[in-house]
């Protein structure tokens, strides 16, 4: 019974945190800050997705997804990720009818899963909720772990693309 109570309390606490950060993300979108940050991501998007037109909705949603993940807002990243995949599928339909995921879809999925985070909001919230003496102590290790996983993901995608061109 006490575990059930703890679970409900945690859910309510996390719902408040999710609402706050989602609201801040919406304000950032409405103020144009996300658009400005997305513009700064153009070189990264061009490097990862050389065949995508930079003005496409897919690039906008990919940028929003990456920015949300970087800020540790996975719940805000999910809708943008779904819209990005939808836009990538539409672009692929324009190129050629196929039931196979495009290179861009695979690259996006791999980079999204690696999830570079500068602020691991969920872990900080969990640690604070359960009485950690220093809830933010996780930030350094989280940055290192997610930076390594993202670097490995990028290298993997680039190696696969090179091998496809050579083979």
């Amino acid at each position: 019974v006490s575990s059930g109570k703890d679970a409900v309390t945690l859910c309510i606490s996390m719902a408040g945190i999710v609402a706050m950060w989602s609201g801040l993300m919406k304000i950032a979108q409405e103020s144009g800050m996300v658009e400005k940050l997305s513009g700064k991501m153009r070189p990264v998007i061009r490097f990862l997705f050389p065949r995508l037109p930079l003005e496409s909705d897919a690039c906008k949603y990919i940028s929003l997804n990456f920015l949300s993940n970087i800020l540790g807002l996975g719940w805000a990243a999910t809708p943008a990720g779904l819209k990005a995949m939808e836009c990538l599928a539409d672009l692929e339909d324009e190129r050629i009818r196929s039931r196979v995921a495009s290179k861009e879809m695979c690259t996006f999925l791999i980079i999204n899963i690696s999830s570079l985070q500068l602020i691991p909001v969920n872990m900080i919230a969990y640690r604070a909720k359960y009485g950690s003496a220093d809830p933010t102590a996780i930030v350094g290790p989280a940055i290192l772990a997610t930076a390594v996983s993202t670097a490995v993901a990028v290298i993997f995608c680039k190696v696969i693309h090179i091998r496809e061109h050579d083979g």
Side-chain angles (χ1 to χ4, degrees):
V1 173
S2 66
S3 294
K5 178 184 171 195
D6 289 344
V8 170
T9 303
L10 177 63
C11 287
I12 291 170
S13 298
M14 292 308 291
I17 292 166
V18 168
M20 181 193 77
W21 281 102
S22 294
L24 287 175
M25 197 64 174
K26 186 68 173 171
I27 290 169
Q29 263 184 302
E30 296 292 326
S31 71
M33 190 166 93
V34 170
E35 192 71 34
K36 288 178 186 174
L37 289 172
S38 293
K40 303 257 186 233
M41 290 191 66
R42 283 180 176 244
V44 173
I45 299 299
R46 172 59 58 215
F47 174 73
L48 293 172
F49 307 96
R51 296 188 327 159
L52 279 184
L54 287 175
E55 297 76 32
S56 70
D57 283 344
C59 283
K60 180 178 89 172
Y61 288 116
I62 289 170
S63 294
L64 181 57
N65 177 273
F66 285 178
L67 288 170
S68 298
N69 276 326
I70 287 169
L71 296 173
L73 307 174
W75 50 82
T78 300
L82 293 172
K83 288 297 286 179
M85 287 300 266
E86 208 174 88
C87 292
L88 289 170
D90 290 344
L91 283 172
E92 196 59 26
D93 280 349
E94 290 174 16
R95 289 185 193 146
I96 188 169
R97 292 266 177 210
S98 171
R99 291 202 175 268
V100 176
S102 67
K103 288 180 188 178
E104 290 84 3
M105 291 172 142
C106 293
T107 298
F108 174 68
L109 188 59
I110 291 167
I111 303 295
N112 184 44
I113 290 169
S114 73
S115 189
L116 174 65
Q117 289 187 13
L118 298 180
I119 308 167
V121 175
N122 282 342
M123 290 310 298
I124 293 170
Y126 289 138
R127 290 170 55 85
K129 171 76 178 131
Y130 289 109
S132 172
D134 186 6
T136 59
I138 193 74
V139 173
I143 290 172
L144 178 63
T146 61
V148 169
S149 70
T150 300
V152 169
V154 170
I155 291 167
F156 174 80
C157 289
K158 288 301 180 179
V159 166
I160 292 300
H161 293 313
I162 290 168
R163 287 181 63 198
E164 284 180 355
H165 283 87
D166 292 343

